[in-house]
Amino acid sequence: MDKLWDLADQVTNRCHDLGIHFEAPGAPVNRKKGIPLASFDPTSDEDARLLKHVPEPGKGPEARKAAIGVRHDENGCGAWKPCTVVARLGNTLTVEWPEDRARE
């Protein structure tokens, strides 16, 4: 899990380099659902190829993967939080947050 937190720090820094500040309430990125991969890798034409190791829904217990994701609080501030990837449909991941078992 430490590798995930290191990666989160790298993504946060890259977001800041691009002017993306998800931790600020009211930031435009917080009104969207996710950031396109092209923001980080302009040569990428398809996010799905990076998700090839995340099974589609219904592929057994291995479909659940420990992860971290940006979760927004009631004020619209985003912060990295532990979560579990519970499903994938194409390029869209569904995660479950452990503190309240909510899914997004």
Side-chain angles (χ1 to χ4, degrees):
M1 193 68 136
D2 287 342
K3 286 177 121 178
L4 290 176
W5 288 107
D6 290 342
L7 183 58
D9 287 339
Q10 292 173 28
V11 170
T12 299
N13 291 336
R14 181 66 177 134
C15 283
H16 289 172
D17 291 348
L18 295 168
I20 300 168
H21 298 277
F22 56 79
E23 59 281 307
V29 70
N30 292 340
R31 292 190 293 272
K32 298 180 181 178
K33 288 286 187 184
I35 302 169
L37 178 63
S39 299
F40 304 97
D41 180 3
T43 64
S44 174
D45 55 357
E46 190 173 337
D47 293 354
R49 67 185 172 84
L50 295 175
L51 299 175
K52 65 183 177 186
H53 299 296
V54 179
E56 292 281 352
K59 299 289 185 186
E62 67 276 2
R64 297 180 67 85
K65 302 277 185 196
I68 55 174
V70 175
R71 189 164 195 203
H72 297 91
D73 65 16
E74 63 278 354
N75 298 316
C77 299
W80 291 105
K81 302 281 184 181
C83 61
T84 302
V85 175
V86 295
R88 176 174 74 90
L89 183 59
N91 295 347
T92 303
L93 299 177
T94 300
V95 299
E96 183 176 275
W97 305 102
E99 61 267 12
D100 59 7
R101 301 194 53 99
R103 290 186 175 195
E104 296 179 352

